[in-house]
């Protein structure tokens, strides 16, 4: 069996170890300490805008806290991009609220502003105004930020920007993770940088960051004994995990460059293969190309190619199955135009890690060429 080629593997630089060693040496091994503060500051200066970052246990916990901070409760409705990973939508249900799924447009594969407005108007006509909009920069490609924000502003609905997959991406020169009323990041094992598991909530105000940290550390009121007037969560990042994050921040830009070069390599070698279509960067969008994705001509070609890669011990994955097709969300209202269904049928994510070698890239390309030359 040939060695496995992963879709998106962790990629340590070695710069992480001194931060972890320091945490051990100073006994800061709890969910607070210099690495947590340092990682938050590193992220704030990377994102550049005036923002306040809270380091948390995961991107999912960041989404959950953002919903709580926006006052989402039982019986509320929250609009969510249908073409996403389930973690974008699950926290809506944790709050006892209902996800309302909105389909994608073709230029970025993300939330369609036209469908968004249709959905809002229809929900309002049914008597419930959605409490928030969760828009996602899927695979690192920025969504249509201006258009989505315009609709959100028109109806005065806050936006939660799910940037789990898009750290390092930019829209009109500004970093993804700075556009929402709240934004979230993920440092899960498969992301562009990883802390093994972790995430962050990006807030516009220090007050909101402080509220998030309060909720993430069991909502302990100010008293010598344990005192609680609200339900809290154990969602803070540990100082050891944050040490990995500090080291990873030193290589974030080189990871973005390598993932973009993987993508450019695939585009160049398949430029004469009319079976394969790539997602282009629309004007003003800079994608971190977290995953390189292709569209094939049919579901059967996509599946045939996926199995051929699997036979060579190469991991690939169909584009995310939309949430409106997931059994767990079968009763959720949806506003569809057919785009995300088609993308799921025809789309495949190719190996995209920042530590892919030239020889591994060649193995992927040879396998794909062999499949099409059969
Ligand atoms: C789009 C999207 N949103 C949210 C998440 C959740 O992040 P985490 O795994 O850190 O909880 C992920 C990834 O896992 C994701 O891809």
């Amino acid at each position: 069996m040939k060695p496995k080629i992963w879709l998106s593997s962790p990629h340590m630089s070695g710069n992480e170890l001194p931060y972890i060693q320091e945490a051990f040496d100073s006994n800061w091994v709890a969910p607070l300490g210099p690495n947590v503060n340092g990682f938050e500051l590193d992220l704030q200066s990377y994102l550049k805008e005036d923002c306040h970052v809270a380091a948390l246990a995961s991107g999912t916990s960041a989404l959950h806290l953002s919903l709580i901070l926006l006052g989402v409760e039982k019986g509320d409705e929250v609009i969510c991009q249908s073409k996403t990973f389930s973690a974008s939508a699950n926290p809506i249900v944790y709050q006892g609220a209902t996800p309302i799924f909105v389909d994608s447009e073709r230029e970025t594969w993300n939330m369609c502003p036209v469908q968004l407005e249709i959905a809002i108007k229809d929900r309002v006509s049914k008597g419930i105004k959605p409490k928030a909009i969760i828009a996602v920069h899927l695979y690192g490609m920025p969504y249509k930020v201006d258009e989505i924000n315009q609709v959100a502003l028109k109806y005065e609905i806050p936006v939660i920007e799910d940037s789990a997959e898009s750290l390092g991406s930019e829209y009109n020169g500004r970093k993804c993770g700075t556009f929402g009323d709240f934004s979230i990041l993920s440092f899960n094992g498969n992301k562009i940088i990883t802390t093994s598991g972790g995430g962050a909530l990006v807030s516009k105000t220090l007050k909101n960051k402080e509220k998030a940290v309060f909720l993430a550390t069991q909502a302990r009121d100010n008293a010598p004994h344990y005192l609680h007037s609200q339900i809290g969560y154990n969602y803070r990042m540990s100082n050891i995990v944050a040490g990995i994050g500090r080291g990873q921040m030193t290589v974030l830009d080189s990871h973005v460059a390598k993932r973009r070069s993987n993508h450019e390599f695939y585009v160049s070698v398949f430029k004469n293969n009319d079976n394969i279509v790539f997602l282009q960067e629309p004007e003003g969008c800079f994608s971190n190309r977290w995953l390189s994705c292709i569209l094939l001509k049919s579901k059967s070609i996509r599946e045939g190619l996926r199995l051929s890669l699997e036979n060579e011990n190469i991991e690939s994955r169909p584009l995310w199955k939309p949430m409106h097709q997931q059994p767990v969300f079968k009763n959720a209202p949806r506003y569809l135009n057919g785009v995300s269904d088609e993308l799921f049928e025809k789309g495949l994510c190719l190996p995209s890690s920042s530590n892919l070698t030239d020889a591994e890239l060649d193995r992927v390309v040879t396998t794909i060429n062999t499949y099409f030359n059969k």
Side-chain angles (χ1 to χ4, degrees):
M1 180 74 99
K2 291 180 185 152
K4 175 103 178 177
I5 299 179
W6 298 96
L7 191 66
S8 182
S9 84
H11 183 190
M12 291 296 120
S13 65
N15 301 343
E16 299 78 13
L17 286 170
Y19 291 104
I20 299 168
Q21 189 63 49
E22 202 176 298
F24 272 71
D25 292 345
S26 57
N27 203 30
W28 281 108
V29 292
L32 78 166
N35 284 336
V36 175
N37 302 337
F39 187 36
E40 291 177 344
L41 291 176
D42 291 346
L43 285 163
Q44 279 171 206
S45 56
Y46 186 81
L47 294 173
K48 290 199 182 82
E49 301 303 311
D50 188 15
C51 61
H52 303 270
V53 173
L56 298 172
S58 63
T60 311
S61 53
L63 277 159
H64 190 194
L65 291 183
S66 64
L67 292 170
I68 294 169
L69 291 170
L70 289 171
V72 172
E73 302 177 334
K74 193 167 190 295
D76 285 337
E77 292 188 348
V78 174
I79 289 182
C80 183
Q81 184 166 318
S82 188
K83 184 151 194 66
T84 187
F85 180 64
S86 63
S88 306
N90 286 339
I92 302 170
V93 182
Y94 303 165
Q95 283 307 98
T98 303
I100 309 292
F101 292 117
V102 167
D103 216 322
S104 292
E105 34 75 11
R106 287 186 189 279
E107 289 97 287
T108 75
W109 298 354
N110 293 310
M111 186 180 277
C112 171
V114 176
Q115 289 298 317
L116 171 64
E117 184 156 18
I118 292 172
I120 295 172
K121 280 186 175 160
D122 192 52
R123 300 325 289 174
V124 170
S125 79
K126 289 182 163 61
I128 304 187
K129 181 175 163 184
K131 267 280 182 67
I133 297 164
I134 300 176
V136 188
H137 308 291
L138 209 65
Y139 311 122
M141 184 61 79
Y143 60 78
K144 294 188 171 182
V145 175
D146 286 345
E147 286 91 331
I148 296 290
N149 280 353
Q150 244 167 37
V151 178
L153 272 176
K154 182 170 166 190
Y155 295 91
E156 299 181 322
I157 303 174
V159 175
I160 299 170
E161 180 193 10
D162 183 339
S163 297
E165 302 177 1
S166 64
L167 183 57
S169 299
E170 294 174 16
Y171 179 86
N172 287 341
R174 186 168 149 182
K175 297 279 184 207
C176 290
T178 64
F179 294 108
D181 292 270
F182 287 102
S183 305
I184 74 101
L185 304 171
S186 168
F187 314 112
N188 189 27
N190 62 356
K191 295 301 186 290
I192 193 132
I193 59 165
T194 182
T195 57
S196 74
L201 180 64
V202 186
S203 306
K204 294 265 180 280
T205 63
L206 180 60
K207 201 164 158 225
N208 274 337
K209 175 195 163 164
E210 285 171 350
K211 279 193 205 163
V213 171
F214 170 77
L215 291 171
T217 49
Q218 306 288 20
R220 284 179 289 192
D221 291 338
N222 197 4
H225 49 278
Y226 284 135
L227 180 69
H228 306 275
S229 44
Q230 282 181 70
I231 293 295
Y233 302 85
N234 187 2
Y235 279 174
R236 196 69 163 129
M237 180 179 277
S238 97
N239 195 57
I240 298 189
V241 162
I244 308 177
R246 295 214 70 187
Q248 287 272 283
M249 284 304 286
T250 65
V251 289
L252 171 53
D253 281 337
S254 66
H255 284 197
V256 172
K258 171 62 171 135
R259 291 203 184 231
R260 284 180 63 85
S261 97
N262 290 338
H263 186 267
E264 280 154 25
F265 174 74
Y266 287 132
V267 170
S268 71
V269 293
F270 296 127
K271 66 176 183 298
N272 295 324
N273 185 335
D274 64 3
N275 291 291
I276 298 179
V277 173
F278 290 89
L279 179 63
Q280 315 266 350
E281 270 171 338
E283 173 126 20
C285 288
F286 174 90
S287 170
N288 66 8
R289 296 291 188 186
W290 173 60
L291 292 186
S292 288
C293 307
I294 56 174
L295 290 181
L296 290 317
K297 286 193 170 152
S298 69
K299 183 177 176 178
S300 64
I301 296 176
R302 187 265 277 157
E303 196 49 14
L305 182 56
R306 191 187 70 76
L307 291 171
S308 297
L309 289 162
E310 193 174 272
N311 279 340
E312 291 295 315
N313 211 14
I314 298 170
E315 186 185 18
S316 67
R317 191 181 290 279
L319 295 188
W320 297 182
K321 182 169 178 142
M323 290 306 110
H324 69 265
Q325 285 196 42
Q326 300 289 350
V328 71
F329 293 124
K330 65 178 185 299
N331 296 323
R334 66 265 331 262
Y335 294 85
L336 306 179
N337 56 14
V339 173
S340 62
D341 288 341
E342 189 187 330
L343 293 172
F344 172 57
E345 289 222 321
K346 298 183 179 168
L348 193 68
C349 307
L350 299 179
S352 303
S353 307
S354 49
N355 52 6
L356 268 182
T357 63
D358 288 352
E360 287 171 326
L361 279 167
D362 282 340
R363 250 179 77 198
V364 177
V365 169
T366 305
T367 308
I368 295 175
N369 283 337
T370 308
Y371 174 78
F372 283 112
N373 293 334
K374 259 192 320 218

